[in-house]
Amino acid sequence: MDKIELTEEEIRIWNMWKGSFKRIFGRVVKDMSEHTGLSEGDFGVLDRLVQFGDGKLRQQELADSMGWDKSRLSHHLTRMEKRGLVRRKQSDTDRGVQVIITSAGKSGLDEATPIVSKAIRKHFLDQLADQDIESITKLAERTKTSSSLSSKDSPP
Amino acid sequence: MDKIELTEEEIRIWNMWKGSFKRIFGRVVKDMSEHTGLSEGDFGVLDRLVQFGDGKLRQQELADSMGWDKSRLSHHLTRMEKRGLVRRKQSDTDRGVQVIITSAGKSGLDEATPIVSKAIRKHFLDQLADQDIESITKLAERTKTSSSLSSKDSPP
DNA sequence: ATAACACGGTTGACGTGTCAACCACAAGAT
DNA sequence: ATCTTGTGGTTGACACGTCAACCGTGTTAT
């Protein structure tokens, strides 16, 4: 029979880890949103549109690259469309929908990118020691989903 | 003039870190919610009520211990009250509100606790090497808010 | 006494996430 | 021809978070 209860020490580890993430991630997102009005999701969408699609992507591809389901993306795009960051257009070739970044979306992204970089460096990278990099890498490897449907990489 | 842009490697570190957290944390929360119907917030509230208040706490103290603002807690308690997990009662002594765990809340907590422990061990602790503990501890120390208004520790 | 403020809490509006149901349409299977 | 199945996407309902405004009641300052 395995032991179940966590020791005080184990609980502290868990809480430190959870707390560190929420603090750091919250600071990065806050720096971005306060300066640009973009949320984490907004940035992810816009960044992928230019990185992987030269400004446009089919909705399902975008969802896959974000690791989002179609419903979540649909709701989010509706809000982004309302703010003029993207627009949707029925694809001519197939029966999908093209998501296209607007000029407003592009300038929002251009404005946000250096702010996000600076924030990630300040709140995260500058706080890491060399051995932390290895810990992060190993933990990511050990917990990755086997069937690598991993969302493509793009900060934040 | 400082460099601003992140290298590919730095972006990968960031994304691995973010991805690991979201995967692991998501698995823990999902294990709990699927087996007990409690959310992360529900568990935190119930656990603190018994750990720090022997079943009841003033609302503001509860909010402080969760690191939540009063509005967030108020909304959350309204939902929890509707499900019969807690009840609110005007304090006799001062002009605050007592949050009191119900028997349903207590049994939900009792049911959830071992599940949460098992999930944290399986998805998180078992994936850590010894040196990871030190990384986690150091990073938490380096990023803690100076004025230690830290939320009290209780998983998840 | 009244004005100013702080404290404890509620409320409404809105952005975000999740789930299940739905719709349109194409491609096979019967 | 109809029936199922799969794909791509939308919608509605509801839980969760955040922000700002508000309310009642004490405390303090004038």
Side-chain angles (χ1 to χ4, degrees):
Chain A
M1 144 124 201
D2 327 271
K3 63 179 183 297
I4 287 183
E5 293 144 42
L6 305 180
T7 65
E8 287 292 321
E9 179 62 9
E10 288 174 324
I11 293 175
R12 281 192 39 257
I13 303 289
W14 168 257
N15 281 309
M16 287 190 300
W17 183 70
K18 187 176 64 152
S20 294
F21 180 85
K22 294 201 170 183
R23 273 194 305 278
I24 293 172
F25 193 73
R27 287 168 189 163
V28 170
V29 169
K30 197 177 171 194
D31 276 6
M32 173 175 60
S33 69
E34 277 179 354
H35 287 82
T36 69
L38 296 182
S39 68
E40 188 206 352
D42 298 337
F43 185 87
V45 166
L46 297 176
D47 191 57
R48 281 165 177 79
L49 286 180
V50 313
Q51 294 292 319
F52 305 142
D54 195 38
K56 53 176 177 265
L57 277 180
R58 299 245 344 268
Q59 202 163 312
Q60 189 56 55
E61 294 177 296
L62 181 52
D64 290 344
S65 80
M66 304 270 300
W68 285 7
D69 66 31
K70 56 190 183 170
S71 170
R72 181 174 177 183
L73 181 61
S74 181
H75 282 305
H76 202 95
L77 289 179
T78 299
R79 293 189 297 264
M80 290 182 73
E81 216 171 5
K82 210 169 299 178
R83 293 190 289 145
L85 298 171
V86 297
R87 61 194 181 84
R88 283 190 264 211
K89 178 173 163 299
Q90 188 59 46
S91 170
D92 313 312
T93 63
D94 57 51
R95 63 205 162 293
V97 171
Q98 290 270 327
V99 183
I100 308 173
I101 193 169
T102 63
S103 55
K106 202 173 267 297
S107 30
L109 178 63
D110 289 344
E111 195 191 356
T113 301
I115 292 174
V116 171
S117 299
K118 227 174 295 183
I120 291 176
R121 191 178 302 291
K122 173 180 172 188
H123 299 304
F124 179 61
L125 297 170
D126 283 355
Q127 310 304 323
L128 298 181
D130 284 350
Q131 77 156 47
D132 299 343
I133 311 283
E134 205 198 323
S135 280
I136 289 167
T137 306
K138 294 276 182 60
L139 185 60
E141 276 162 13
R142 282 194 294 266
T143 63
K144 211 171 296 180
T145 71
S146 47
S147 56
S148 192
L149 299 167
S150 57
S151 63
K152 292 187 193 159
D153 280 348
S154 201
Chain B
M1 146 116 199
D2 327 89
K3 63 178 182 301
I4 287 183
E5 293 144 42
L6 305 180
T7 66
E8 287 293 322
E9 179 62 9
E10 287 174 324
I11 292 175
R12 281 192 38 257
I13 303 287
W14 169 257
N15 282 309
M16 286 190 300
W17 184 68
K18 189 176 62 152
S20 294
F21 180 85
K22 296 200 170 185
R23 274 193 304 278
I24 293 172
F25 194 73
R27 287 168 189 163
V28 170
V29 168
K30 195 177 175 196
D31 276 5
M32 172 174 61
S33 68
E34 277 180 354
H35 287 82
T36 70
L38 296 182
S39 69
E40 188 206 351
D42 297 337
F43 184 87
V45 166
L46 297 175
D47 190 59
R48 280 165 178 78
L49 286 179
V50 313
Q51 295 292 319
F52 305 142
D54 196 37
K56 53 176 177 265
L57 278 179
R58 299 248 340 269
Q59 202 163 312
Q60 188 57 56
E61 294 177 297
L62 181 53
D64 290 344
S65 81
M66 304 271 299
W68 286 7
D69 66 31
K70 55 191 184 170
S71 170
R72 180 175 178 184
L73 181 60
S74 182
H75 283 304
H76 201 94
L77 289 179
T78 300
R79 292 188 298 262
M80 290 182 74
E81 217 172 3
K82 208 169 300 179
R83 291 189 290 145
L85 298 171
V86 296
R87 59 193 182 85
R88 283 190 263 210
K89 178 172 162 298
Q90 187 60 46
S91 168
D92 313 312
T93 63
D94 56 50
R95 62 204 161 295
V97 170
Q98 291 270 327
V99 183
I100 308 173
I101 193 170
T102 63
S103 55
K106 201 174 271 294
S107 29
L109 178 63
D110 290 344
E111 195 191 355
T113 301
I115 292 173
V116 171
S117 298
K118 227 173 296 183
I120 292 176
R121 190 179 303 289
K122 173 180 174 191
H123 299 304
F124 178 61
L125 296 170
D126 284 353
Q127 311 303 323
L128 299 181
D130 284 350
Q131 77 156 44
D132 300 342
I133 311 283
E134 205 198 323
S135 280
I136 289 167
T137 306
K138 293 277 182 61
L139 185 61
E141 276 161 13
R142 283 193 294 266
T143 61
K144 211 172 297 181
T145 70
S146 46
S147 57
S148 190
L149 298 168
S150 57
S151 63
K152 291 186 193 160
D153 281 347
S154 201

